Amino acid sequence: MKKSSLWLSAATALVVSVVLAGCGETTYFAGRQLPPSQLTNRVMVAIQNPGSVTRGALEILDGFYDVRFKYNNNTSTFSVSGYSGALPVTIQNMPEEQLGAVYGSGDGSLGLVDYQKETATGNQSGLNGISSSVFITRNKAFVFAANQQATVLTVVDKSSNGTYALSLPGVYRVSVNPGGTVAMAFVQNSNYAYYPIKLNASQTLAYSGGPSTWPKAAVDCEPQNAPGWCLFQAQSPDSVDGTGTAYGKPLVFDRPVKALFSNDGGTAYVLSCGRECGGASAGYTPIPTGAMIFAPNQQSGKLPTTATLKTYSIPGGASNALIDSSTMYVVGQQLQPDGLFAGRLTVVDLTNNTAGSPISISDGAPGALSRMIESDDNTLWIGMINCSNGERFKTGQDYGCLTMFDTASKTVKLIEPFHGDATGIASVTGLHKIYTAEGGQVYIYSTTDGIAKNNQYVTVTGTAYDVAYMDGLSDANNTVY
């Protein structure tokens, strides 16, 4: 965008703001209150080392005019006040709740951001050091964190003001369903899956005698003298113990890394990473979530027996995925004959569990979580890290870290030029654009043709690591981690 065009747009915005002020308007979409910045299309950027004495900051950009300053004053910028986390790496975006949760890898902080006030409301207490994966439920009642260094799955239960460190050596990934009723944990270089359950009063009493009194599928219950939560291994219900809990043989996956959840919440699709994580073959396994609902007295149904459990193969690799209605987009890295990996996208029809042929996309680090988000114009955007270490770079193909995929035609429209690791993507819905964090800087792309827009006025000081559209229409406007 030329500078003259920018200021023409700014003048138009000024007229619009005056009209709104004259009408006494203080709200915008869905009755949301105008924030202090008075911006209605805000993109929040998680920035590492923005200054010599600051290790992290959250800056707010105007996603309508694509500027980092006030439209009529280029010396006035916006940020989230009070944020103090170190080295922020992910933003869990919850625009419906006007809330964001920012994880800082430098100090292990999970900082909450009030979108309406544009202020940080403090860090979540109770986490056990650095988290390799962490999520808060949308109602803020529970936090689940994989604390790999501390070898525990941490559960912060705000409903009872309790924090529980459930022993699980090697735990490194946690998945939580959108409704905040099921959580699953995964251990690095393991073939098993685990889930936590909150105990009712009678269970607490029954399990208070130590491990000998726990259900046979339990791997830890804390605190042991009066447990409030237990961690279970996902097992087939071949038998029922004295507490009525089903147990049997462990459900065996192939280096499971994540669970995706169906729209109705009744099914968890467990991704097996396979060869890119040191296993044998990639795929996904549907299992019912009823038995894993962590709230007391709400369990229903049983985990499947080994006879009914079925894993569906994904030859292209499966280290991340996104579900849209009855379609699941699975991303992974496929091992090539020369020993390098190549990025692949597989489109799966969940109504009959059939997978299409793997589609070539940006390469990435084997086993690493990619970034995925849907946007306008039937586009799916996929970001990778270490994309210059794969098959595309070796063979002289386009090897950028960002792929634009057309979900209507099921074709790759564009692999963007290499700017460095693609560590964040935000969909500015309705405006036909996305914001990205690539190679430590902010970029903007059109969803109609994938062409990069001028990012001159959104460049930030420091390392941009993640981005989120604070004014998204729904919580679905959230990068998949």
Side-chain angles (χ1 to χ4, degrees):
M1 179 185 290
K2 294 182 179 180
K3 206 165 188 178
S4 59
S5 299
L6 177 67
W7 293 115
L8 180 60
S9 298
T12 303
L14 179 60
V15 172
V16 172
S17 66
V18 170
V19 171
L20 289 177
C23 295
E25 294 286 346
T26 60
T27 61
Y28 58 115
F29 172 76
R32 297 176 187 175
Q33 296 295 309
L34 280 175
S37 66
Q38 297 189 340
L39 303 177
T40 58
N41 298 102
R42 298 167 296 169
V43 176
M44 182 165 63
V45 185
I47 304 173
Q48 300 180 356
N49 300 315
S52 58
V53 296
T54 306
R55 299 184 66 192
L58 302 174
E59 188 164 347
I60 298 173
L61 308 178
D62 186 337
F64 188 87
Y65 293 111
D66 301 329
V67 294
R68 60 186 296 266
F69 45 79
K70 197 171 182 179
Y71 61 83
N72 58 355
N73 184 350
N74 62 7
T75 64
S76 177
T77 58
F78 308 101
S79 63
V80 173
S81 63
Y83 179 74
S84 60
L87 304 181
V89 290
T90 59
I91 303 171
Q92 185 182 340
N93 189 37
M94 295 168 277
E96 290 181 37
E97 289 75 22
Q98 288 291 276
L99 175 71
V102 182
Y103 179 69
S105 63
D107 55 6
S109 63
L110 183 66
L112 301 183
V113 176
D114 184 320
Y115 283 1
Q116 196 281 310
K117 296 180 180 178
E118 296 177 342
T119 61
T121 59
N123 293 333
Q124 174 61 54
S125 61
L127 299 181
N128 290 284
I130 302 299
S131 302
S132 52
S133 178
V134 58
F135 288 95
I136 185 171
T137 57
R138 293 173 179 174
N139 61 5
K140 298 187 287 186
F142 303 98
V143 179
F144 299 93
N147 301 118
Q148 191 168 18
Q149 294 179 3
T151 70
V152 297
L153 173 71
T154 298
V155 178
V156 179
D157 182 352
K158 295 184 179 181
S159 64
S160 62
N161 296 317
T163 299
Y164 305 85
L166 301 169
S167 178
L168 188 60
V171 61
Y172 81 129
R173 297 275 175 83
V174 62
S175 299
V176 181
N177 70 336
T181 60
V182 174
M184 296 190 72
F186 305 98
V187 172
Q188 193 166 21
N189 300 322
S190 165
N191 290 332
Y192 308 112
Y194 304 83
Y195 60 97
I197 292 292
K198 183 176 181 177
L199 306 181
N200 58 32
S202 61
Q203 290 171 324
T204 294
L205 180 62
Y207 305 166
S208 61
S212 63
T213 65
W214 298 347
K216 295 184 183 298
V219 296
D220 191 25
C221 296
E222 296 293 340
Q224 294 195 12
N225 61 345
W229 284 72
C230 284
L231 183 65
F232 291 86
Q233 184 182 64
Q235 296 184 354
S236 60
D238 300 330
S239 303
V240 177
D241 66 12
T243 69
T245 301
Y247 75 96
K249 299 178 181 178
L251 300 183
V252 180
F253 305 95
D254 193 333
R255 299 298 193 268
V257 293
K258 186 172 185 172
L260 282 299
F261 299 90
S262 61
N263 288 357
D264 63 7
T267 304
Y269 299 93
V270 177
L271 296 184
S272 287
C273 188
R275 297 191 72 176
E276 61 178 304
C277 292
S281 59
Y284 70 95
T285 308
I287 60 175
T289 60
M292 299 184 288
I293 295 174
F294 54 69
N297 305 316
Q298 292 191 30
Q299 290 179 256
S300 61
K302 294 180 179 180
L303 290 174
T305 64
T306 53
T308 59
L309 185 70
K310 181 174 177 60
T311 295
Y312 299 91
S313 176
I314 303 291
S319 51
N320 202 1
L322 181 153
I323 291 179
D324 181 349
S325 187
S326 60
T327 301
M328 181 164 63
Y329 300 97
V330 184
V331 166
Q333 300 294 320
Q334 186 182 62
L335 185 63
Q336 302 299 296
D338 59 6
L340 295 177
F341 282 87
R344 295 290 185 263
L345 169 66
T346 304
V347 182
V348 177
D349 184 346
L350 294 176
T351 59
N352 51 23
N353 290 304
T354 56
S357 300
I359 300 168
S360 179
I361 60 172
S362 302
D363 300 338
L369 276 180
S370 53
R371 304 298 198 236
M372 302 177 66
I373 196 168
E374 289 184 293
S375 192
D376 296 331
D377 304 302
N378 300 312
T379 56
L380 170 69
W381 297 81
I382 305 161
M384 298 287 193
I385 63 171
N386 294 344
C387 57
S388 60
N389 294 336
E391 188 72 16
R392 282 183 166 273
F393 180 82
K394 177 187 176 182
T395 56
Q397 302 177 65
D398 295 333
Y399 64 94
C401 295
L402 184 67
T403 299
M404 174 187 179
F405 179 76
D406 188 317
T407 59
S409 64
K410 295 184 174 57
T411 58
V412 170
K413 290 297 185 183
L414 195 65
I415 292 181
E416 299 292 348
F418 177 76
H419 295 303
D421 292 345
T423 55
I425 313 174
S427 171
V428 187
T429 49
L431 297 180
H432 304 277
K433 69 180 84 171
I434 66 162
Y435 272 61
T436 67
E438 297 175 75
Q441 197 46 263
V442 178
Y443 293 86
I444 312 168
Y445 299 93
S446 166
T447 59
T448 58
D449 54 19
I451 301 302
K453 294 176 175 288
N454 189 347
N455 72 333
Q456 175 182 354
Y457 301 107
V458 295
T459 56
V460 298
T461 301
T463 301
Y465 209 88
D466 201 7
V467 286
Y469 184 39
M470 301 168 70
D471 297 302
L473 303 184
S474 74
D475 289 341
N477 196 313
N478 196 352
T479 303
V480 175
Y481 301 106

